[in-house]
């Protein structure tokens, strides 16, 4: 998986998201020439396009969707502190084009945040998804265990012949459409970022108690998404004005790679199924995650 998938195309001229802290918005308003470039350096988590990520082996896309404040149109964008240059609709079409050339692949789109989306805009988003992917959407009543089982031959027929190639996971409270898999339903994706708000990989990787505290939330027939992305706060950024999220991440990759290789996939409570990281393609991250399947 790729964390904050769409940050490779953040708009340098974009306003700061209304969901960011008042301090960040105030500083950006007072000193845009200084603050905005810093915001950009700490907002970008990916450099490969969606198609390049899929080609690299990513099958879980993390979409943070938003509607720009004071925008009279119904266009939706992606957001991570600032908004993207491309719309959600354009990227959904790009994913579809890739899937049409790779008909035996399963891709999970985790849609979340929904900053500034009204109920009407949310309905428009789901309508757009249904119109673009149509029969490729995986029905909600199909067991995850069946969809991804590598052992049951009939399940492969279910996926390939029926072309159920997409699973959409919405973190949203309203049950708007029966084809959408939501966080509250039995079939869903659980997302916990093990490294949330941490810059110290040494501590987290050596703390077995910390890891098990998170891993034990696994429930049968639900995915566990381990987000191994390091995150920053305002204080850390101010102390490191010449740093960037990329520098911080690349420096930590050797430690994170050791942790990945120690994991096990499968249905047990101590197992993980999806690992999402930053700057896909910078090392052997995808290869290391896929090789975990040899342990099954």
């Amino acid at each position: 998986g790729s964390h904050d998938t769409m940050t490779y195309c953040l708009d340098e001229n974009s306003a700061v998201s209304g969901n960011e802290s008042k301090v960040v918005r105030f500083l950006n308003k007072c000193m845009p020439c200084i603050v905005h470039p810093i915001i950009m350096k700490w907002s970008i988590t990916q450099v490969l396009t969606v198609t390049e990520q899929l080609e690299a082996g990513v099958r879980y896309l993390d979409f943070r969707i938003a509607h720009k404040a004071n925008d009279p149109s119904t266009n939706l964008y992606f957001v991570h502190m600032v908004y993207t240059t491309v719309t959600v609709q354009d990227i959904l079409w790009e994913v579809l084009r890739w899937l049409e050339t790779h008909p035996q692949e399963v891709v999970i789109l985790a849609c979340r945040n929904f900053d500034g989306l009204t109920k009407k805009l949310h309905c428009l988003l789901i309508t757009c998804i249904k119109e673009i992917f149509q029969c490729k959407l995986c029905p909600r009543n199909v067991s995850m265990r069946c969809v991804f089982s590598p052992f049951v031959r009939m399940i492969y027929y279910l996926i390939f012949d029926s072309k159920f190639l997409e699973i959409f996971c919405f973190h949203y409270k309203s049950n708007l459409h029966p084809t959408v898999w939501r966080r509250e339903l039995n079939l869903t994706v659980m997302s916990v970022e093990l490294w949330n708000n941490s810059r110290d990989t040494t501590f987290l990787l050596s703390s077995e108690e910390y890891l098990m505290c998170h891993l034990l939330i696994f429930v049968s027939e639900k995915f566990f998404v381990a987000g191994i992305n390091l995150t920053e706060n305002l204080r850390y950024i101010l102390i490191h004005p010449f740093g960037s999220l990329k520098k911080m991440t690349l420096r930590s990759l050797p430690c994170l790679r050791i942790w990945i290789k120690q994991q096990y996939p499968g249905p047990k409570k101590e197992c993980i199924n999806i690992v999402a990281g930053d700057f896909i393609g910078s090392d052997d991250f995808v290869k290391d995650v896929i090789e975990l399947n040899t342990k099954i």
Side-chain angles (χ1 to χ4, degrees), residues 42-60:
W42 288 98
S43 299
I44 297 173
T45 67
Q46 306 295 340
V47 293
L48 301 182
T49 67
V50 162
T51 298
E52 289 170 339
Q53 291 179 37
L54 291 168
E55 289 290 336
V58 168
R59 295 296 179 268
Y60 173 88

Side-chain angles (χ1 to χ4, degrees), residues 16-54:
V16 175
S17 166
N19 264 19
E20 296 304 317
S21 69
K22 292 181 180 179
V23 175
V24 172
R25 284 181 286 153
F26 174 77
L27 291 174
N28 185 63
K29 187 175 182 179
C30 294
M31 301 177 290
C33 294
I34 298 174
V35 176
H36 208 75
I38 295 175
I39 289 175
M40 293 297 296
K41 287 195 302 180
W42 288 98
S43 299
I44 297 173
T45 67
Q46 306 295 340
V47 293
L48 301 182
T49 67
V50 162
T51 298
E52 289 170 339
Q53 291 179 37
L54 291 168

Side-chain angles (χ1 to χ4, degrees), residues 115-130:
D115 297 349
L117 265 70
T118 60
K119 186 174 181 179
K120 179 181 178 181
L121 287 173
H122 199 91
C123 288
L124 286 173
L125 170 62
I126 296 176
T127 299
C128 178
I129 289 172
K130 293 173 71 176

Side-chain angles (χ1 to χ4, degrees), residues 72-84:
S73 75
T74 57
N75 289 337
L76 298 178
Y77 297 85
F78 303 94
V79 66
H80 188 215
M81 294 190 75
V82 295
Y83 302 98
T84 57

